[in-house]
Amino acid sequence: MTIDEQKLARVEQLRIPLDDPTAPLDWKDWYHYVLLDPDTQIRVLVNLTAIARPGTGEIQTSLMVTIPTDFLDSDCRPAAPFASFGTTFSQEWNPSQISPEPVHWQGQGMELQVNGTQTQLEVQDRRSQLFIELAATATATPLLVTENSPFGSGFIGWGLVPGLQVRGNLSVGGRSFPIHPNWFCYHDRNFGRFRWGEDIGWEWFVAFGTCEDGTAITLVLDRRTNKDHSQGGFPYIFIYVNHQLRKVFLGATLQINWDWSEVPVIPPRLPGIMALLFSDRLLQTPSALQIIAADDQDQLLIEIDFESVVELIVPDNQQRQYTFIEELTGRAAVTLKLGEKTWLATGLVYGEYVI
């Protein structure tokens, strides 16, 4: 398929005003990648975030990997079927580290280049024994969803490319896993001005499944909320068939039903200093999710069982306040009916529940 490169450029462009020394310190601009391997069941998150402005802000890097415990040595294998490993690190944002056209981020342990449909990404943390490098080509219809949607004390915008063809390598604890085009790769861009720790939250996931005939189904849910999710914004779910946008369910056409763990737990937490700070914080975590959507013509049912959770704690860069992001992975079963055509797909899901 042909990619609309003008729309893709709108999605990928940097939004923080790099040449404005008076730009507010609540600016945020981040590049977010999710990789799912249907064969090995490996799930990966890579996130690069710039906050504030060059010379006074930070570049923050996150890499999280969830793998089946069968890949671990028997003497250190946990009882759970999946194990999660992660690293987060920050560095001062020097003006020379980020260039806008073409997009190029470069710093200690990380590099990102986005040029048209082509992406190069590398993140490495020797201390945590985590490394990923990949080359990716956009293959799915890009969408610029919002640019100035109200959020907290400011606004947020985002766009997505829910399908890139990838090649590369992933290393976890000295074990190497080749990344090849059979892996699914999702990318989105988020940007805006708000403060972590405000009365904000969201519910989001990307699910990728295949049918018996090889048809690929991708679904992306987004719903902005307040911190305790008692008030929700306008929910929507994008539906892609073979990397082309085919349907959007909106608002009242969607039912979003979360199930929760029976007892509170202490999930794995990142960064490590935050894990120490909040070491006694117990919480219930999402265990399952059901999405039902229907209008006069089409229907959708998604049933998700979550298999892992890692809590990412994000502090505000000006005050002592925090947002907690529950990073979730699991399996999804999808029944999709568009007109007279019905697809049944199974696959993997990566999601976030933010409080």
Side-chain angles (χ1 to χ4, degrees), residues 133-135 166-170 177-180:
E133 61 175 348
L134 61 87
V166 288
R167 288 191 180 276
N169 185 59
L170 171 71
F177 301 94
I179 298 171
H180 49 76

Side-chain angles (χ1 to χ4, degrees), residues 50-107:
I51 63 170
R53 56 179 181 255
T56 60
E58 284 189 342
I59 298 173
Q60 301 170 338
T61 303
S62 302
L63 170 58
M64 302 182 197
V65 182
T66 297
I67 65 173
T69 51
D70 290 346
F71 289 123
L72 303 177
D73 294 337
S74 58
D75 58 348
C76 62
R77 185 179 299 166
F82 291 89
S84 295
F85 303 87
T87 181
T88 63
F89 52 92
S90 301
Q91 53 197 291
E92 293 183 2
W93 180 5
N94 297 318
S96 62
Q97 287 182 284
I98 297 181
S99 303
E101 295 182 9
V103 173
H104 188 196
W105 297 42
Q106 188 171 24

Side-chain angles (χ1 to χ4, degrees), residues 249-326:
F249 284 106
L250 303 166
T253 65
L254 283 170
Q255 297 180 41
I256 304 172
N257 304 312
W258 293 87
D259 285 334
W260 298 86
S261 59
E262 294 183 0
V263 296
V265 299
I266 299 177
R269 289 190 168 111
L270 288 171
I273 189 66
M274 293 299 173
L276 291 174
L277 184 62
F278 294 97
S279 61
D280 60 348
R281 180 173 176 266
L282 293 166
L283 72 156
Q284 290 181 288
T285 58
S287 61
L289 174 61
Q290 182 189 67
I291 304 289
I292 302 171
D295 58 20
D296 292 341
Q297 296 180 318
D298 307 314
Q299 299 175 12
L300 172 68
L301 172 64
I302 311 170
E303 296 177 298
I304 295 171
D305 290 315
F306 293 114
E307 298 170 312
S308 73
V309 58
V310 175
E311 185 172 71
L312 181 63
I313 303 174
V314 189
D316 179 60
N317 64 319
Q318 298 174 68
Q319 295 183 8
R320 188 177 294 179
Q321 54 190 37
Y322 309 90
T323 290
F324 301 88
I325 305 177
E326 313 309 317

Side-chain angles (χ1 to χ4, degrees), residues 10-321:
R10 288 279 305 281
V11 170
E12 299 288 18
Q13 74 180 93
L14 285 160
R15 301 304 179 110
I16 295 178
L18 300 182
D19 56 355
D20 182 0
T22 66
L25 297 179
D26 58 359
W27 266 108
K28 297 167 183 63
D29 207 336
W30 68 94
Y31 290 74
H32 185 246
Y33 295 85
V34 169
L35 293 98
L36 305 170
D37 181 19
D39 296 330
T40 64
Q41 304 292 299
I42 291 174
R43 306 97 190 256
V44 181
L45 167 71
V46 185
N47 193 59
L48 305 179
T49 304
I51 63 170
R53 56 179 181 255
T56 60
E58 284 189 342
I59 298 173
Q60 301 170 338
T61 303
S62 302
L63 170 58
M64 302 182 197
V65 182
T66 297
I67 65 173
T69 51
D70 290 346
F71 289 123
L72 303 177
D73 294 337
S74 58
D75 58 348
C76 62
R77 185 179 299 166
F82 291 89
S84 295
F85 303 87
T87 181
T88 63
F89 52 92
S90 301
Q91 53 197 291
E92 293 183 2
W93 180 5
N94 297 318
S96 62
Q97 287 182 284
I98 297 181
S99 303
E101 295 182 9
V103 173
H104 188 196
W105 297 42
Q106 188 171 24
Q108 183 67 36
M110 51 74 68
E111 184 169 9
L112 170 69
Q113 297 182 67
V114 181
N115 191 352
T117 61
Q118 305 301 309
T119 295
Q120 300 277 340
L121 175 63
E122 180 176 322
V123 173
Q124 179 171 336
D125 185 346
R126 287 189 171 90
R127 183 183 61 179
S128 300
Q129 299 187 68
L130 290 172
F131 170 76
I132 188 169
E133 61 175 348
L134 61 87
T137 302
T139 55
T141 305
L143 289 179
L144 182 61
V145 185
T146 63
E147 293 189 273
N148 296 294
S149 179
F151 195 59
S153 60
F155 67 90
I156 195 169
W158 77 298
L160 69 157
V161 185
L164 299 95
Q165 188 176 71
V166 288
R167 288 191 180 276
N169 185 59
L170 171 71
S171 180
V172 182
R175 177 157 187 172
S176 184
F177 301 94
I179 298 171
H180 49 76
N182 197 41
W183 287 49
F184 170 74
C185 181
Y186 164 94
H187 163 54
D188 64 31
R189 282 275 295 111
N190 296 264
F191 48 87
R193 289 185 54 199
F194 59 91
R195 306 283 294 275
W196 295 119
E198 294 182 323
D199 190 18
I200 55 174
W202 65 76
E203 301 167 12
W204 167 88
F205 71 69
V206 55
F208 175 75
T210 54
C211 307
E212 287 189 356
D213 65 0
T215 301
I217 306 293
T218 306
L219 306 110
V220 183
L221 171 77
D222 183 63
R223 178 174 180 253
R224 304 297 161 91
T225 72
N226 61 345
K227 188 174 290 189
D228 67 5
H229 295 244
S230 61
Q231 299 176 21
F234 193 70
Y236 43 85
I237 189 164
F238 300 113
I239 300 172
Y240 281 70
V241 178
N242 289 330
H243 299 307
Q244 296 189 54
L245 183 65
R246 291 286 302 274
K247 178 74 178 184
V248 183
F249 284 106
L250 303 166
T253 65
L254 283 170
Q255 297 180 41
I256 304 172
N257 304 312
W258 293 87
D259 285 334
W260 298 86
S261 59
E262 294 183 0
V263 296
V265 299
I266 299 177
R269 289 190 168 111
L270 288 171
I273 189 66
M274 293 299 173
L276 291 174
L277 184 62
F278 294 97
S279 61
D280 60 348
R281 180 173 176 266
L282 293 166
L283 72 156
Q284 290 181 288
T285 58
S287 61
L289 174 61
Q290 182 189 67
I291 304 289
I292 302 171
D295 58 20
D296 292 341
Q297 296 180 318
D298 307 314
Q299 299 175 12
L300 172 68
L301 172 64
I302 311 170
E303 296 177 298
I304 295 171
D305 290 315
F306 293 114
E307 298 170 312
S308 73
V309 58
V310 175
E311 185 172 71
L312 181 63
I313 303 174
V314 189
D316 179 60
N317 64 319
Q318 298 174 68
Q319 295 183 8
R320 188 177 294 179
Q321 54 190 37

